[in-house]
Amino acid sequence: MNKKEIEKLKKEITKKETNIFDHLKKAETDAAFRQAERYKAFLDNGKTEREAVEQIRQTLEKSGFVNMDDVLDKQRPAIHKKYYKVLKNKCVAAAVLGKNSVRSGANVIASHIDSPRLDLKQNPLYEDLDLAFLKTHYYGGIKKYQWLSIPLALHGIVVKKDGSSIDICIGEADGDPVFTVSDLLPHLAGNQQGSKKVSEAFEGEKLNLLCGSMPLGNETIKERFKLGVLKLLYDQYGMVESDFVSAELEAVPAFKAKDVGFDRSMIGAYGQDDRICAFSQLEALTSLEGVDQTSAALFFDKEEIGSEGTTSAKSGFIEDFLSDLLFMNNEPTDSRTLRKCLMNSRCLSADVNGAMDPDYKEVHEKLNAARLGRGICITKFTGARGKAGASDAGAEFVGLIRNLFDKHNILWQTGELGKIDEGGGGTLAKFLAELGMDILDCGPALLAMHSPFEIAGKADLYMTYKGYREFYCM
Ligand code: MN
Ligand code: MN
C-alpha cells in the first residue's frame, strides 16, 4: 500500500474524536450561546431540588403539559397528549404520549435535581464568643475546604408547629445578607490544617454558619446573641426554635452563574451536576412536536446520597407515572402490562461525567477519559473497584445510541470516571436498570465537579440537548 492508501484506510478504521467547535456552524454556535443564557437563568432560579421542581413545572405548564393529578379522576380516554406529575415537591415526571401504545415502551431520560450542599441540622442554633451560628450536616460528596469563606445563601422550607409552612430564601436578592463558614487565618493554621492530611484537616462539625453578632438585651440575659437571631426569625417568619425540627434549610453558594473565559465559551456555576442534564432534557422534551414512542423525562431527588428515600429513583415514582400514563392512554393498567411497558422501554441516565483536568491528568486514563468540548459523553459503566456497584450497559444498546448520534451529527465521546482503583462513582442508572429497561449513562463532562463553582462547556450543553432530542425522536 502506498502512503495515500494507508492514510485513506486509517481514516476509515481508526476512531477519531474532535472538538465541537471544529464542527459547529456560526448559526449553531449562536444558538448554543443563546441556550446557555436560558440555562444560567434556570440554574440561578433553581438552586435546590424544590426550586428546580418549580422551574420545571412552570416551563411544562407554559408548553401545554397538564398536571396529571388534576385530571386523573375526571378524564378517560386521554384528551391531552402531554402530562406531568410532581412527587412531594421534590421530583417531577413529564411525558409526551407517542403514536404507539405506552405498553410498547417509552423513551425515558432520567436526571437528578439535588446537588451537594450544607443542610441545617434539626437543632442548629447556638452562640459562642458573642457570635451566633447554625450547625450543618453536609449533603453529598463535598471537599469541605471548598465551602469555607464563601458567601452562602439559605434556601428551603419550614413547617411550623401549627402545620403551616413558609418558604425561605435569603442571600440571593441584591442587598440580601448572606452566611458564611469562616476559615482559620493562615498565620495560625500550620498545626490545625497545614500539617494534616486534607481529609483530616477540615471537620464536618466545624462547618458552622455564621449568622449573627447582635445581642438581645443586656448581659443579664442568657444566650442573648442566639436570642437576637431567634427574635428576628420570629418577627419575620413567625417561627420559633422548635420549628427547625420540621425544616429543610439548605446553604448553597450565594453567587450566580457566570460565563467563564475571555471567549465566554464556558459556564461556571453551582449545581450543574446534574441540572445541566435536567435543563437539557427539559428543553428537549418541550421541543417535541409528535413522536412515535412515548417520551418521558424524570427529574429525581436524592441521587447525591445514593438514591435513597421517598423522592429518589428507588421510590417507585417511575412505575406510578407509567401506570398513570397507561391509564390516561386508555390502556390496561395491570401489573403485567406495566412490566411489559418497562421491559420495552429504553432509558438514558442523564448525568454528568468528570472531565479530564489538565492539572491532574494522573487520576485519569487518557484513552478513556471524557474531555470538555468533546460533546455528549457515553459512559458504558459506572461504579468503582472492578465495576462494583455499576450499571454496565449492553453492547447492543450502546451500539443503538452511538449509531443514533452519528446519524444525526451529534458529537459524542466516551468517558470512564477516573483510572481503575482511583475512586469512582455511580448514578441512578443501576436502580432504573432493576426495572428491566435498557439504560446507558449519557451527559456532558464537567470540570471541578461537586465544587461550589462547577465548569461546563456551552457547546457540550448544546450537544447534550441535541442528543437527548434525537433519543426522544427515536
Ligand atoms: Mn450527578
Ligand atoms: Mn454528583
Side-chain angles (χ1 to χ4, degrees):
M1 292 175 86
N2 63 33
K3 192 172 173 223
K4 213 171 148 194
E5 287 167 334
I6 292 173
E7 287 295 345
K8 186 167 170 275
L9 182 69
K10 185 181 170 193
K11 222 175 150 185
E12 263 171 52
I13 64 173
T14 57
K15 179 166 170 284
K16 196 165 171 254
E17 285 174 3
T18 49
N19 192 285
I20 310 171
F21 287 111
D22 294 333
H23 289 260
L24 283 190
K25 299 195 174 66
K26 171 84 170 66
E28 281 191 300
T29 306
D30 291 348
F33 274 57
R34 280 197 305 277
Q35 183 177 49
E37 293 305 305
R38 297 194 295 278
Y39 172 53
K40 285 189 291 180
F42 179 79
L43 290 172
D44 290 341
N45 295 319
K47 289 191 178 179
T48 66
E49 58 282 8
R50 288 173 190 273
E51 291 170 357
V53 162
E54 190 48 28
Q55 290 275 299
I56 292 162
R57 199 189 61 74
Q58 283 175 18
T59 303
L60 291 169
E61 288 268 346
K62 261 187 236 151
S63 309
F65 285 71
V66 173
N67 187 344
M68 195 179 252
D69 291 327
D70 290 345
V71 295
L72 209 49
D73 297 329
K74 295 177 205 149
Q75 292 167 8
R76 200 177 178 212
I79 54 167
H80 303 291
K81 282 284 172 204
K82 301 173 177 183
Y83 292 102
Y84 76 91
K85 192 182 182 78
V86 173
L87 176 71
K88 301 179 203 290
N89 304 317
K90 293 183 184 179
C91 293
V92 189
V96 176
L97 289 172
K99 293 186 191 86
N100 301 330
S101 66
V102 175
R103 69 178 171 278
S104 71
N107 292 334
V108 181
I109 304 181
S111 63
H112 67 91
I113 48 176
D114 60 319
S115 294
R117 58 183 190 247
L118 305 181
D119 282 344
L120 290 203
K121 292 196 187 197
Q122 277 9 87
N123 295 310
L125 187 60
Y126 71 99
E127 67 171 64
D128 199 358
L129 303 180
D130 294 356
L131 301 169
F133 293 95
L134 294 162
K135 290 206 69 70
T136 67
H137 192 140
Y138 66 97
Y139 171 97
I142 64 165
K143 290 162 90 176
K144 298 186 189 82
Y145 68 83
Q146 292 181 334
W147 291 76
L148 308 177
S149 294
I150 59 169
L152 296 168
L154 209 52
H155 294 234
I157 182 175
V158 180
V159 179
K160 296 196 280 189
K161 62 179 174 187
D162 65 2
S164 64
S165 66
I166 36 170
D167 291 324
I168 286 184
C169 181
I170 306 166
E172 296 293 345
D174 287 340
D176 265 11
V178 295
F179 308 87
T180 193
V181 180
S182 72
D183 196 6
L184 190 56
L185 63 169
H187 316 64
L188 299 179
N191 292 332
Q192 278 301 314
Q193 295 174 341
S195 60
K196 287 183 186 168
K197 285 202 286 183
V198 177
S199 58
E200 289 158 9
F202 305 95
E203 295 167 40
E205 289 296 356
K206 289 185 176 172
L207 296 176
N208 300 315
L209 287 184
L210 184 59
C211 70
S213 70
M214 268 168 76
L216 183 68
N218 61 26
E219 280 170 59
T220 61
I221 311 280
K222 264 182 101 177
E223 295 200 304
R224 61 197 178 119
F225 292 89
K226 171 181 165 179
L227 211 54
V229 171
L230 274 179
K231 178 163 188 312
L232 284 172
L233 292 175
Y234 186 66
D235 291 346
Q236 179 83 34
Y237 303 105
M239 73 177 276
V240 296
E241 189 175 12
S242 66
D243 291 339
F244 279 117
V245 171
S246 46
E248 284 178 345
L249 293 169
E250 308 175 5
V252 298
F255 36 78
K256 289 189 169 13
K258 302 274 187 197
D259 286 344
V260 173
F262 289 114
D263 56 11
R264 297 177 172 266
S265 60
M266 296 165 281
I267 299 155
Y270 164 71
Q272 300 201 66
D273 173 7
D274 183 32
R275 291 182 201 120
I276 191 167
C277 293
F279 173 82
S280 302
Q281 73 178 40
L282 182 64
E283 290 231 322
L285 189 78
T286 52
S287 75
L288 298 178
E289 286 304 341
V291 281
D292 290 337
Q293 296 307 117
T294 290
S295 299
L298 275 299
F299 305 85
F300 284 112
D301 178 32
K302 296 286 184 282
E303 193 278 340
E304 295 295 357
I305 56 168
S307 293
E308 304 290 349
T310 55
T311 51
S312 73
K314 285 190 203 168
S315 65
F317 187 39
I318 188 164
E319 294 100 311
D320 186 55
F321 183 63
L322 287 175
S323 41
D324 281 349
L325 280 182
L326 286 166
F327 178 80
M328 297 310 299
N329 209 34
N330 209 16
E331 295 181 50
T333 57
D334 57 280
S335 64
R336 183 168 178 272
T337 306
L338 176 61
R339 282 232 59 84
K340 293 294 166 215
C341 169
L342 284 163
M343 296 300 282
N344 291 334
S345 291
R346 302 176 281 204
C347 186
L348 294 183
S349 166
D351 209 346
V352 297
N353 200 314
M356 180 144 66
D357 187 322
D359 281 325
Y360 297 96
K361 290 198 188 97
E362 59 273 25
V363 303
H364 302 279
E365 186 268 288
K366 73 175 193 312
L367 276 182
N368 287 284
R371 289 173 54 176
L372 209 74
R374 295 274 168 118
I376 189 166
C377 174
I378 291 173
T379 304
K380 185 175 179 294
F381 59 87
T382 54
R385 293 170 302 279
K387 299 192 180 182
S391 175
D392 195 349
E396 293 87 346
F397 191 52
V398 180
L400 185 77
I401 300 300
R402 65 171 274 213
N403 283 323
L404 174 81
F405 287 173
D406 281 342
K407 196 170 138 202
H408 295 282
N409 284 319
I410 312 294
L411 275 246
W412 59 274
Q413 57 179 330
T414 57
E416 183 177 342
L417 189 60
K419 267 185 187 166
I420 294 172
D421 297 337
E422 195 70 51
T427 63
L428 48 75
K430 61 177 174 173
F431 307 113
L432 300 186
E434 287 172 9
L435 302 172
M437 295 185 286
D438 265 323
I439 188 160
L440 174 64
D441 270 288
C442 193
L446 302 182
L447 283 172
M449 209 174 113
H450 276 217
S451 80
F453 198 67
E454 300 174 306
I455 309 293
K458 289 184 181 176
D460 291 317
L461 166 67
Y462 181 67
M463 277 300 154
T464 302
Y465 154 75
K466 280 186 57 162
Y468 290 169
R469 194 171 190 285
E470 293 305 337
F471 175 76
Y472 278 143
C473 295
M474 187 166 66

